[in-house]
Amino acid sequence: MTDAGLAARFPADFTWGVATSAFQIEGAAADDGKGPSIWDTFCRLPGTIADGSNGDIACDHVHRLEADLDLIASLGVKAYRFSVSWPRVRPTGQGAWNEAGLAFYERLVDGLRARGLQPWMTLNHWDLPQGLQDIGGWAARDTVAHFVDYARGMHARLGERVHAITTHNEPWVIAVLGHEKGIFAPGIRSRATAVQVAHHLLLSHGLALQALRDDGCQARLGIVLNMAPAEPMTDSAADRHAAHLCDARDLRGYMDPLFGRGYPREVLEELGADAPWVEPGDMASIATPMDYLGINYYSRHVASAGEPFDPKAQGLPVTDMGWEICPRALTSLLLRLQRDYALPPVLITENGAAFADTLVDGQVHDTDRVDYLRTHIAAVADARDQGVPMAGYMVWSLMDNFEWASGYAKRFGIVHVDYASLQRTPKDSALWLRGFLQQWRTRPAGGGA
Ligand code: FCB
């Protein structure tokens, strides 16, 4: 299918966007009264970040805001998904607010609106204030109330000017990678803690939605989940069981409670004494209706009862992260969600790929990334054609940035960042996206409606 044909499959009200997160791009880690986050702390522990780097400068976005906003606008997207650094606006997570931090996000939001772009604001993209970690972090139930208070404060300041507010980005990553495997901040290794953290994240999401609606919020409210649909490696009963358990833990473990079904029985059984502490009313709060669901999709997960699946060894296409490129699994994921849950409008809030790009004479010919984006956008169109309420698609990421434990070595941007000069250079994928969106805007009348 041609790009024009693909573009014509999307309606006029479809939300095209690019995404980033605060810690990954902002830098200015201790400027203007910002407090430290758990990621500032984690980066300083030996051996945590592949290239020994940190977020002190990152893409220096705080000091380059206006130029970056112009860059976003130049792509022809309708929306920009960004996150607020909680310790920039409230240095220890509670108590005094930091006016300089609030003013930065005000400039960001107003700058987007002045350029005709919708602000999609995420409250928690992992950089919890270190001050809250010091008193228990997400494992402590008090953090739920601190989050709701932070949400209300951000809403009071910016709620009327943002299009959407996302509570959390990928609670699974915070819980499992941060508190069970310990490879992300805060680097804890305890399954019981991770399970309690996941519960507190979901609870704080539901309670924040209720509080913001009580405060008269008009912005759309939702959560963003990472999803890698589990498929069995072979048709054996053991592999199928492994896939079923993975799905119950990683996907249904979040979707079921959010959609009013409680935690999956088989997950609670498997957890035994590690099951979360749940208080009366928690499950009803978690199931507070959302205005949209955000899904971050990068790859499928192939489950096996024996040796772990290695896509590269199987000769399958992979990205620079080693993640298999599998757009088909995105369509089947979306169809399955549509079958199993009463979905609100759904957006792909992240999709993209890291490749080992090279900048030559001011150009990056990232044809592999263009292919990745095109085939995944087509996968979204396929799901939409079959009735899934797809409302948007956002590319991860606007620009190369700090890829967590991988440091700066993995490049996900459609815009190249030279970390020595901090110069931004649109890659071929950025130019492709701009052209694709141009075709979408000028598609034949009635196309894709
Ligand atoms: C997601 C994160 C995002 C980015 C991509 C590659 O899990 O939400 O910040 O790191 O992966």
Side-chain angles (χ1 to χ4, degrees):
M1 174 174 290
T2 61
D3 283 353
L6 179 56
R9 294 172 71 189
F10 291 94
D13 60 357
F14 198 78
T15 302
W16 298 100
V18 286
T20 63
S21 88
F23 191 80
Q24 294 178 276
I25 64 166
E26 284 183 356
D31 281 29
D32 292 332
K34 177 184 167 290
S37 79
I38 56 173
W39 271 93
D40 290 306
T41 308
F42 187 70
C43 290
R44 283 175 169 75
L45 303 176
T48 53
I49 310 298
D51 56 5
S53 62
N54 56 49
D56 287 1
I57 298 175
C59 303
D60 199 33
H61 171 66
V62 165
H63 299 126
R64 291 159 200 264
L65 179 64
E66 293 298 322
D68 285 345
L69 292 175
D70 288 343
L71 181 63
I72 298 165
S74 78
L75 298 169
V77 292
K78 288 210 309 201
Y80 176 54
R81 175 175 178 251
F82 65 97
S83 80
V84 173
S85 159
W86 185 350
R88 190 179 297 287
V89 296
R90 215 173 192 187
T92 61
Q94 54 180 322
W97 292 83
N98 178 29
E99 178 52 34
L102 289 165
F104 169 70
Y105 294 107
E106 191 155 63
R107 285 204 308 281
L108 169 52
V109 167
D110 289 349
L112 289 169
R113 287 164 58 95
R115 290 164 177 84
L117 296 161
Q118 294 175 355
W120 285 66
M121 176 168 81
T122 299
L123 294 172
N124 171 28
H125 201 125
W126 309 351
D127 45 356
L128 184 77
Q130 181 61 39
L132 290 183
Q133 189 63 43
D134 294 343
I135 52 171
W138 284 112
R141 199 171 162 103
D142 284 352
T143 300
V144 172
H146 294 313
F147 178 77
V148 173
D149 203 52
Y150 158 56
R152 293 188 65 198
M154 289 312 297
H155 172 253
R157 183 69 176 244
L158 290 174
E160 284 173 9
R161 287 179 262 177
V162 296
H163 190 82
I165 300 176
T166 298
T167 51
H168 302 295
N169 178 72
E170 303 188 347
W172 180 91
V173 170
I174 300 172
V176 176
L177 301 189
H179 296 81
E180 181 172 343
K181 299 189 192 296
I183 55 173
F184 278 14
I188 291 168
R189 292 202 165 90
S190 152
R191 182 174 76 161
T193 305
V195 167
Q196 198 59 48
V197 162
H199 182 69
H200 289 158
L201 287 164
L202 291 175
L203 179 61
S204 65
H205 153 81
L207 291 175
L209 259 51
Q210 291 176 7
L212 295 192
R213 289 198 179 119
D214 286 350
D215 290 350
C217 180
Q218 297 297 312
R220 290 155 186 78
L221 299 173
I223 195 168
V224 166
L225 302 179
N226 53 303
M227 292 195 192
E231 298 182 359
M233 185 152 104
T234 70
D235 207 32
S236 73
D239 283 355
R240 278 189 282 123
H241 181 66
H244 175 85
L245 271 188
C246 252
D247 180 68
R249 241 186 266 127
D250 303 343
L251 190 146
R252 288 176 46 220
Y254 296 80
M255 284 295 283
D256 283 10
L258 287 167
F259 287 86
R261 294 187 199 157
Y263 292 115
R265 185 185 37 80
E266 55 273 60
V267 173
L268 294 176
E269 272 167 19
E270 196 204 5
L271 287 171
D274 286 348
W277 173 258
V278 177
E279 297 196 1
D282 284 5
M283 300 317 290
S285 301
I286 290 173
T288 303
M290 298 184 258
D291 300 319
Y292 65 91
L293 172 69
I295 295 173
N296 294 349
Y297 176 84
Y298 290 92
S299 188
R300 65 175 174 151
H301 175 82
V302 177
S304 114
E307 286 294 294
F309 175 71
D310 178 356
K312 205 168 174 189
Q314 305 286 319
L316 294 166
V318 295
T319 69
D320 198 28
M321 298 296 280
W323 300 347
E324 183 192 347
I325 301 174
C326 190
R328 164 195 65 72
L330 173 56
T331 308
S332 55
L333 165 71
L334 294 169
L335 292 173
R336 177 268 174 112
L337 295 174
Q338 162 81 344
R339 192 186 63 224
D340 292 353
Y341 300 94
L343 295 176
V346 174
L347 290 96
I348 300 301
T349 34
E350 287 181 25
N351 177 243
F355 290 108
D357 302 314
T358 45
L359 176 70
V360 180
D361 298 333
Q363 298 188 321
V364 179
H365 298 308
D366 57 341
T367 45
D368 30 20
R369 187 174 288 103
V370 173
D371 270 3
Y372 184 99
L373 297 178
R374 188 192 279 125
T375 52
H376 285 78
I377 290 171
V380 172
D382 289 346
R384 191 182 167 272
D385 288 350
Q386 294 172 70
V388 187
M390 297 310 302
Y393 173 93
M394 301 182 180
V395 177
W396 185 270
S397 182
L398 165 66
M399 58 183 151
D400 295 335
N401 57 50
F402 176 78
E403 179 45 35
W404 310 111
S406 306
Y408 295 96
K410 303 295 179 196
R411 294 179 174 273
F412 273 93
I414 57 172
V415 172
H416 181 273
V417 176
D418 175 331
Y419 292 112
S421 66
L422 292 163
Q423 193 182 332
R424 281 84 160 125
T425 308
K427 304 178 189 176
D428 284 358
S429 52
L431 308 178
W432 174 81
L433 183 68
R434 178 189 297 163
F436 174 73
L437 294 177
Q438 182 60 25
Q439 285 176 309
W440 170 70
R441 272 190 298 277
T442 56
R443 71 201 179 288

